[in-house]
């Protein structure tokens, strides 16, 4: 007997590329039946007029900042209402708080609206040790590696993320050093790459250099905002070449927007990059109070920076 049967719904059949009418049964949390019959089930729900879908996985989430914003869910609740049931947080080198504290809050709140998978943010660990916009010493690198190792082995981290563009003092050598003792093929390495591939795809090639001889899985974050300024064709050729060679090792994600957002103080908004991006002050819209939905001019840009 099934645990749950959803009847009179519609579902996407990816083999045929069609949306089909049918019933879907669930047993022990997994889809166990798809068809037109009505097998016995402990619970039957009529979903007429609705599409039946498994929960979506969001590979690139920036999780709640419990330390700064209080112990409440906002982002995760929005995710759930959009059909996301599992999300990967800690991206772009940015852990909003330590993974141990994050887990403690989830326990205090009695669980979360969605399932979290969390990465260890390399940039955040640098920042917590007082290392920003300069190269890290070997001693400092070893301290970061020890923290990340503990999070992977004891706190359940799914891997490590780098935000290279956000702190360009992080060298290729330093990232390779960060991965030297990580060899679990089930772990994930992600990166907001070094730049927007305006002149060439060297930032993508740098990321692939991290993977040489290492068994982990590698994900380029939000490719659309990292390679869409003139070199997307070449970027995709390189990425697809790597995926074709090792399909279980490499991937990338992309969002469907024609703009991007990040902190106003990052290198992405340095004036020296304006020409490369083909932008001016008036192309930057602020999203936080007291300047919410205001476009910048030179004076406002300097003030918020």
């Amino acid at each position: 007997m099934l645990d749950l049967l959803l009847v009179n719904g519609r579902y996407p059949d990816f083999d045929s590329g069609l949306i089909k009418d049918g019933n879907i049964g669930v047993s022990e949390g997994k889809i166990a039946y798809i068809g037109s019959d009505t097998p016995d089930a402990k619970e039957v729900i009529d979903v007429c007029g609705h599409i039946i879908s498994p929960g979506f996985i969001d590979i690139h989430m920036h999780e709640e900042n419990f330390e700064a914003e209080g112990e409440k869910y906002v982002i995760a609740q929005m995710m759930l209402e959009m059909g996301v049931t599992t999300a990967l947080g800690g991206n772009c080198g940015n852990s909003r708080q330590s993974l141990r504290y994050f887990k403690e809050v989830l326990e205090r709140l009695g669980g979360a609206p969605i399932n979290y998978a969390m990465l260890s943010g390399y940039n955040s660990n640098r920042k917590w040790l007082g290392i920003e916009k300069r190269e890290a010493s070997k001693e400092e690198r070893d301290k970061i590696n020890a923290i990340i190792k503990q999070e992977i082995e004891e706190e359940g981290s799914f891997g490590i993320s780098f935000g290279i563009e956000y702190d360009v003092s992080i060298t290729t050598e330093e990232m390779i050093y960060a991965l030297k003792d990580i060899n679990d093929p089930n772990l994930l390495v992600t990166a907001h790459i070094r730049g927007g591939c305006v002149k060439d795809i060297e930032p993508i090639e740098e990321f692939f250099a991290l993977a040489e001889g290492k068994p982990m899985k590698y994900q380029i974050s939000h490719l659309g905002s990292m390679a869409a300024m003139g070199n997307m064709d070449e970027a995709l050729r390189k990425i697809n070449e790597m995926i074709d060679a090792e399909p279980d090792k490499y991937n990338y994600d992309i969002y469907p927007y024609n703009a991007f957002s990040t902190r106003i103080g990052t290198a992405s908004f340095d004036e020296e990059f304006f020409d490369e991006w083909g932008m001016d002050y008036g192309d930057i819209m602020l999203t936080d109070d007291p300047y919410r939905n205001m476009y910048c001019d030179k004076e406002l840009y300097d003030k918020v920076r």
Side-chain angles (χ1 to χ4, degrees), residues 65-80:
N65 189 344
F66 293 127
E67 285 190 327
E69 299 168 3
E71 297 184 2
K72 60 184 179 181
Y73 294 113
V74 177
I75 300 173
Q77 186 61 39
M78 292 177 179
M79 289 280 182
L80 183 64

Side-chain angles (χ1 to χ4, degrees), residues 37-49:
D37 295 332
T38 54
D40 291 338
K42 296 175 184 177
E43 182 180 9
V44 178
I45 300 176
D46 189 338
V47 293
C48 182

Side-chain angles (χ1 to χ4, degrees), residues 267-287:
S268 301
F269 294 121
D270 286 354
E271 287 176 293
E272 63 190 270
F273 291 107
F274 280 18
D275 287 341
E276 289 191 358
W277 285 110
M279 62 181 256
D280 201 347
Y281 303 105
D283 294 311
I284 303 173
M285 186 180 77
L286 304 174
T287 59

Side-chain angles (χ1 to χ4, degrees), residues 2 18 30 46 147 172 258 266:
L2 297 168
L18 300 174
K30 295 184 178 181
D46 189 338
I147 294 170
T172 308
N258 63 355
T266 64

Side-chain angles (χ1 to χ4, degrees), residues 39-278:
D40 291 338
K42 296 175 184 177
E43 182 180 9
V44 178
I45 300 176
D46 189 338
V47 293
C48 182
H50 293 279
I51 299 287
I52 304 171
S53 170
F56 298 115
I57 297 173
D58 187 334
I59 197 73
H60 192 100
M61 177 197 196
H62 292 284
E63 70 280 3
E64 316 289 349
N65 189 344
F66 293 127
E67 285 190 327
E69 299 168 3
E71 297 184 2
K72 60 184 179 181
Y73 294 113
V74 177
I75 300 173
Q77 186 61 39
M78 292 177 179
M79 289 280 182
L80 183 64
E81 291 173 5
M82 291 188 288
V84 173
T85 54
T86 298
L88 180 72
N91 284 282
C92 295
N94 181 19
S95 297
R96 301 294 174 88
Q97 55 256 299
S98 73
L99 188 49
R100 175 172 293 178
Y101 177 75
F102 184 77
K103 290 171 65 179
E104 289 174 357
V105 175
L106 264 61
E107 290 173 4
R108 281 200 291 272
L109 293 173
I114 61 171
N115 302 302
Y116 286 102
M118 299 296 292
L119 298 169
S120 298
Y122 190 81
N123 296 50
S124 292
N125 281 293
R126 269 176 134 252
K127 185 176 181 179
W128 293 332
L129 291 176
I131 312 162
E132 283 191 281
K133 298 183 179 180
R134 66 172 175 85
E135 290 192 28
S137 67
K138 182 182 182 303
E139 181 182 4
E140 290 169 331
R141 294 181 189 186
D142 287 337
K143 287 181 180 179
I144 298 171
N145 287 10
I147 294 170
I148 292 172
K149 181 180 180 182
Q150 178 183 343
E151 290 200 327
I152 290 173
E153 294 181 353
E154 300 179 20
E155 307 298 339
S157 169
F158 276 68
I160 181 171
S161 74
F162 297 101
I164 314 171
E165 186 179 35
Y166 291 136
D167 190 344
V168 293
S169 67
I170 301 174
T171 64
T172 308
E173 177 194 9
E174 182 176 342
M175 291 185 285
I176 291 173
Y177 193 85
L179 300 177
K180 69 183 182 69
D181 297 322
I182 302 176
N183 291 291
D184 185 341
N186 295 309
L187 294 177
L188 183 64
V189 179
T190 75
H192 176 125
I193 56 178
R194 191 170 296 278
C197 295
V198 176
K199 297 177 180 177
D200 51 48
I201 65 164
E202 187 174 333
I204 289 173
E205 292 171 334
E206 177 189 36
F207 180 66
F208 287 137
L210 305 181
E212 292 181 8
K214 305 293 288 184
M216 293 83 77
K217 303 181 189 304
Y218 289 79
Q219 181 91 4
I220 296 175
S221 295
H222 45 68
L223 183 69
S225 54
M226 303 311 300
M229 301 300 289
N231 283 297
M232 182 62 82
D233 287 345
E234 185 180 355
L236 288 174
R237 276 195 296 272
K238 178 63 177 180
I239 293 168
N240 288 330
E241 173 187 308
M242 301 297 288
I243 292 174
D244 288 344
E246 296 183 84
D248 294 329
K249 185 170 182 175
Y250 300 108
N251 218 318
Y252 65 94
D253 54 82
I254 194 165
Y255 51 69
Y257 323 127
N258 63 355
F260 72 91
S261 65
T262 192
R263 298 183 303 278
I264 189 66
T266 64
S268 301
F269 294 121
D270 286 354
E271 287 176 293
E272 63 190 270
F273 291 107
F274 280 18
D275 287 341
E276 289 191 358
W277 285 110

